[in-house]
Amino acid sequence: MAYDVAAVRARFPALDEGAAHFDGPGGSQVPDLVAEAVAGALRAAVSNRGAGTAAERRADGIVTEARRAMADLLGGTPGGIVFGRSMTQLTYDMARALAKEWRPGDEVVVTTLDHDANIRPWVQTAEAHGVTVRRADFDPESGELDVAAIAGLLTGRTRLVAVTAASNLLGTRPDIPAIAERVHEAGALLYVDGVHLTPHSPVDIGRLGADFYACSPYKFLGPHLGVLAADPGLLETVHPDKLLPASDAVPERFELGTLPYELLAGTTAAVDFLAGLVPGEGNRRERLAGSMAALEEHENALLDRLDAGLAETAGVTSYGAASRRRTPTTLFSVDHVRSADAYLFLAERGVNAPAGNFYALECSRRLGLGDTGALRAGIAPYTDESDVDRLLKGIRELIGTPNRQA
Ligand SMILES: Cc1ncc(COP(=O)(O)O)c(C=O)c1O
């Protein structure tokens, strides 16, 4: 079934403000259904989770439903879905919990392609435990992170490899199943940052071979929180610090304090919305597979249009457009114009394409873009051809402007 972008756009109240949004990799806009689910949870009687009162049962039901929804989206098990404030917080927490079993001389591997949220928690935790950090480097020319770059660093002391499923700066999608095979042969765990992949592709954490898979609903049309998925059996072996009276059950032992029930209700709604992007049959997981495949096709067509437009615009430099597989995300700059100025120039024309390193700091530096970074344009489920054309028109206007400042 064809992807009807006009019907999708009609569900996003924020689009009425008129901007062309290329800021999705920073955080997506939200459909009406999600906003209503959040408000609905706040309007109804909700208490702490329990079975005694209707308010307790409602809270419990919201959590159960949200775990089911995330398990459907990621191909996981509801009992292995952990909610937290953000991917960053969940990753720091998991690093500290795993490190209880690390010994001086053990090793962890991070990559220069990753967002800092999948580098710094491992680096700082490793430092605190006398653990050695090894860095796998991507190729700044192609934007690719080869399996060999990671495989070459694995030793008998490697405890964990942290790698992104998709770069939020370049869109590069490393070959995670192949990496997982090598990491598991070495007897290490694989922690995959799925924040930038999840909004753009069907996900199956089993097929990826991820021991841990972290993502953030606010990047895939949902509310601001984070999710960590793992096998419940693996989570049973990890013992985070927790309050004495708090549950020691999995996954609750990883969820410090009271969960944001209204945001969980919104997360379920976001997954339901994604499952219904195109009409489909079957259970939610099956409908998600169809919807996400249709979305990927829609977004790739727009990425091709954008890439082609940028390529034929003299004065634009694109970075590390990974030749193999890539999310619909493009990093570029306009010659002789500071990216921060280009961003403001576009913003004045209702085109939201921010500039920066987007916390992929090591990646930005490796690309030769320092801490300043460049302009990033991300395609989202609500992006259409006219958005892409507005962005290209804005860039061409900027290039044609004598004093090329905002
Ligand atoms: C690839 C990637 N990883 C991690 C993060 C951090 O996510 P959170 O804001 O949920 O901590 C982001 C946020 O931009 C991201 O793009």
Side-chain angles (χ1 to χ4, degrees):
M1 188 72 181
Y3 187 88
D4 183 351
V5 68
V8 170
R9 288 175 66 85
R11 303 296 302 278
F12 285 80
L15 297 183
D16 294 346
E17 292 178 25
H21 284 275
F22 291 92
D23 47 6
S28 57
Q29 304 307 308
V30 165
D32 47 13
L33 182 97
V34 169
E36 281 153 22
V38 173
L42 289 168
R43 281 204 195 97
V46 171
S47 179
N48 282 343
R49 294 177 70 184
T53 68
E56 288 171 353
R57 286 192 292 277
R58 183 169 287 117
D60 202 57
I62 286 174
V63 177
T64 306
E65 280 308 311
R67 294 205 205 285
R68 277 203 199 120
M70 285 309 304
D72 281 350
L73 183 66
L74 304 178
T77 314
I81 300 293
V82 178
F83 289 104
R85 207 191 72 68
S86 61
M87 179 275 182
T88 303
Q89 179 245 303
L90 287 166
T91 304
Y92 265 112
D93 284 352
M94 191 49 77
R96 290 171 183 145
L98 289 170
K100 291 184 182 193
E101 299 299 321
W102 294 352
R103 298 289 166 260
D106 282 349
E107 298 170 6
V108 297
V109 177
V110 296
T111 93
T112 53
L113 186 66
D114 271 81
H115 185 286
D116 215 50
N118 204 29
I119 300 177
R120 218 55 50 199
W122 306 111
V123 169
Q124 290 167 350
T125 308
E127 276 167 4
H129 289 80
V131 166
T132 304
V133 177
R134 297 186 181 276
R135 264 184 180 65
D137 200 10
F138 74 100
D139 174 358
E141 288 306 314
S142 66
E144 297 286 1
L145 174 69
D146 286 332
V147 178
I150 290 178
L153 300 179
L154 299 171
T155 73
R157 297 298 304 263
T158 311
R159 303 301 304 264
L160 180 132
V161 173
V163 63
T164 191
S167 156
N168 64 313
L169 207 53
L170 300 175
T172 307
R173 292 176 58 173
D175 186 348
I176 298 294
I179 292 170
E181 212 180 309
R182 303 303 299 271
V183 170
H184 293 149
E185 276 168 15
L189 291 169
L190 182 64
Y191 192 99
V192 175
D193 177 356
V195 173
H196 187 62
L197 178 68
T198 311
H200 301 296
S201 171
V203 174
D204 186 328
I205 52 176
R207 202 192 60 75
L208 287 172
D211 296 299
F212 299 97
Y213 184 93
C215 62
S216 309
Y218 75 95
K219 308 283 192 183
F220 55 81
L221 318 182
H224 291 85
L225 75 165
V227 176
L228 181 68
D231 187 279
L234 173 60
L235 293 177
E236 289 290 355
T237 67
V238 185
H239 297 277
D241 290 338
K242 61 171 273 300
L243 301 183
L244 214 48
S247 170
D248 196 33
V250 165
E252 281 81 2
R253 73 160 76 129
F254 295 93
E255 297 173 326
L256 307 179
T258 309
L259 286 170
Y261 302 123
E262 60 280 8
L263 304 185
L264 297 191
T267 299
T268 303
V271 173
D272 283 334
F273 185 84
L274 287 173
L277 278 176
V278 296
E281 300 287 321
N283 62 31
R284 183 168 52 196
R285 173 89 184 135
E286 289 160 350
R287 284 180 285 115
L288 277 163
S291 270
M292 295 308 286
L295 175 64
E296 207 170 13
E297 204 176 304
H298 165 74
E299 291 187 337
N300 281 341
L302 291 174
L303 179 67
D304 287 346
R305 188 181 184 93
L306 176 58
D307 278 350
L310 290 175
E312 67 193 27
T313 306
V316 169
T317 303
S318 292
Y319 299 95
S323 51
R324 282 176 243 151
R325 285 203 313 162
R326 179 176 156 223
T327 57
T329 300
T330 282
L331 187 74
F332 63 97
S333 61
V334 177
D335 299 349
H336 315 300
V337 182
R338 284 196 312 233
S339 290
D341 290 332
Y343 144 62
L344 292 177
F345 183 94
L346 291 169
E348 276 175 11
R349 284 149 187 82
V351 177
N352 297 4
N357 62 57
F358 304 100
Y359 280 29
L361 188 61
E362 298 200 12
C363 182
S364 177
R365 288 177 180 168
R366 192 70 184 89
L367 289 166
L369 296 169
D371 295 8
T372 314
L375 289 156
R376 179 179 67 179
I379 310 281
Y382 39 80
T383 310
D384 66 7
E385 290 186 352
S386 74
D387 287 333
V388 172
D389 295 346
R390 279 172 74 185
L391 172 58
L392 291 169
K393 182 166 175 277
I395 294 163
R396 287 168 189 155
E397 267 177 46
L398 172 62
I399 289 170
T401 303
N403 173 10
R404 295 159 162 206
Q405 306 285 309

Coordinates of all heavy atoms in Angstrom, one line a residue, residues 25-26 86-89 115 117 164 166-168 193 195-196 216 218-219 225-226 358 376, ligand 1:
P25 N 16.0 14.5 13.5 CA 17.0 13.8 14.2 C 17.2 14.3 15.6 O 17.7 13.6 16.5 CB 18.3 13.9 13.3 CG 17.7 14.2 12.0 CD 16.5 15.0 12.2
G26 N 16.9 15.6 15.8 CA 17.0 16.2 17.2 C 15.8 15.8 18.0 O 15.8 15.7 19.2
S86 N 16.0 9.2 29.6 CA 16.6 9.5 28.3 C 17.5 8.3 28.0 O 17.9 7.6 28.9 CB 17.3 10.8 28.3 OG 18.4 10.7 29.2
M87 N 17.9 8.2 26.7 CA 18.9 7.2 26.4 C 20.2 7.5 27.2 O 20.9 6.6 27.6 CB 19.1 7.2 24.9 CG 20.2 6.2 24.4 SD 21.8 6.9 24.5 CE 22.8 5.6 23.8
T88 N 20.5 8.7 27.3 CA 21.8 9.1 28.0 C 21.8 8.6 29.4 O 22.7 7.9 29.9 CB 22.0 10.6 28.0 OG1 22.0 11.1 26.6 CG2 23.2 11.0 28.7
Q89 N 20.7 8.8 30.1 CA 20.6 8.4 31.5 C 20.6 6.9 31.6 O 21.3 6.3 32.4 CB 19.3 8.9 32.1 CG 19.1 8.5 33.6 CD 17.8 7.6 33.7 OE1 16.7 8.0 33.3 NE2 18.0 6.4 34.3
H115 N 27.3 9.0 18.8 CA 26.8 10.1 19.6 C 27.6 10.0 20.9 O 27.8 8.9 21.4 CB 25.3 10.0 19.8 CG 24.6 11.1 20.5 ND1 24.7 11.3 21.9 CD2 23.8 12.1 20.1 CE1 24.0 12.3 22.2 NE2 23.4 12.8 21.2
A117 N 26.6 10.1 23.8 CA 25.8 9.3 24.8 C 26.2 7.9 24.8 O 25.9 7.1 25.7 CB 24.3 9.5 24.6
T164 N 26.9 2.5 17.4 CA 25.6 3.0 17.0 C 25.0 2.2 15.8 O 25.8 1.7 15.0 CB 25.7 4.5 16.5 OG1 24.4 5.0 16.3 CG2 26.5 4.6 15.3
A166 N 23.0 3.6 13.8 CA 22.9 4.7 12.7 C 23.5 6.0 13.3 O 23.1 6.4 14.4 CB 21.5 4.9 12.2
S167 N 24.4 6.6 12.5 CA 25.0 7.8 13.0 C 24.0 9.0 12.9 O 23.4 9.2 11.8 CB 26.2 8.2 12.1 OG 26.4 9.6 12.1
N168 N 23.8 9.7 14.0 CA 22.8 10.9 13.9 C 23.4 12.0 13.1 O 22.7 13.0 12.9 CB 22.4 11.3 15.3 CG 23.6 11.9 16.1 OD1 24.7 11.3 16.2 ND2 23.4 13.0 16.8
D193 N 23.3 1.7 20.2 CA 22.6 2.9 20.2 C 21.6 2.9 19.0 O 22.1 3.1 17.9 CB 23.5 4.1 20.2 CG 22.8 5.4 20.1 OD1 21.5 5.4 20.1 OD2 23.4 6.5 20.2
V195 N 19.0 5.0 18.8 CA 18.2 6.2 18.8 C 17.9 6.7 17.4 O 16.8 7.1 17.1 CB 18.9 7.3 19.7 CG1 18.2 8.7 19.6 CG2 19.0 6.9 21.1
H196 N 18.9 6.7 16.5 CA 18.7 7.3 15.2 C 18.2 6.3 14.2 O 17.7 6.7 13.1 CB 20.0 8.0 14.7 CG 19.8 8.8 13.5 ND1 19.0 9.8 13.4 CD2 20.3 8.6 12.2 CE1 19.0 10.3 12.1 NE2 19.8 9.6 11.4
S216 N 15.0 6.3 21.9 CA 14.3 7.4 22.6 C 13.0 7.7 21.8 O 13.0 8.2 20.7 CB 15.1 8.7 22.5 OG 16.4 8.4 23.0
Y218 N 11.0 10.1 21.8 CA 10.8 11.5 21.2 C 11.4 11.6 19.8 O 11.2 12.6 19.2 CB 11.3 12.5 22.2 CG 12.8 12.8 22.3 CD1 13.4 13.7 21.5 CD2 13.5 12.0 23.1 CE1 14.8 13.9 21.6 CE2 14.9 12.2 23.2 CZ 15.5 13.1 22.5 OH 16.9 13.3 22.6
K219 N 12.2 10.6 19.4 CA 12.8 10.7 18.0 C 11.8 10.0 17.1 O 12.0 10.0 15.8 CB 14.1 10.0 18.0 CG 15.1 10.5 19.0 CD 15.8 11.8 18.6 CE 17.0 12.0 19.6 NZ 17.6 13.3 19.3
L225 N 11.3 10.5 26.5 CA 11.9 9.6 27.5 C 12.8 8.6 26.8 O 13.0 8.7 25.5 CB 10.8 8.9 28.3 CG 9.9 7.8 27.7 CD1 9.2 7.0 28.9 CD2 8.9 8.3 26.8
G226 N 13.4 7.7 27.5 CA 14.3 6.7 26.9 C 13.9 5.3 27.1 O 13.1 5.0 28.1
F358 N 25.8 18.2 17.1 CA 24.7 17.3 17.5 C 25.1 16.2 18.5 O 24.6 15.1 18.5 CB 23.9 16.8 16.3 CG 23.4 17.8 15.4 CD1 24.1 18.1 14.2 CD2 22.3 18.6 15.7 CE1 23.7 19.2 13.4 CE2 21.9 19.6 14.9 CZ 22.6 19.9 13.7
R376 N 22.6 20.0 9.4 CA 22.0 18.7 9.2 C 20.6 18.7 8.8 O 19.8 19.4 9.4 CB 22.1 17.9 10.6 CG 21.6 16.5 10.5 CD 21.7 15.8 11.8 NE 20.8 16.4 12.9 CZ 20.7 15.9 14.1 NH1 21.5 14.9 14.5 NH2 19.9 16.5 15.0
Ligands
LIG1 C1 22.2 8.7 18.0 C2 21.8 9.3 19.3 N1 22.1 8.7 20.4 C3 21.8 9.1 21.6 C4 21.1 10.3 21.8 C5 20.7 10.7 23.2 O1 19.4 10.5 23.4 P1 18.7 11.1 24.7 O2 18.3 12.5 24.4 O3 17.4 10.2 24.8 O4 19.6 10.9 25.8 C6 20.7 11.0 20.6 C7 20.1 12.3 20.8 O5 20.1 13.2 19.9 C8 21.1 10.5 19.4 O6 20.8 11.2 18.2

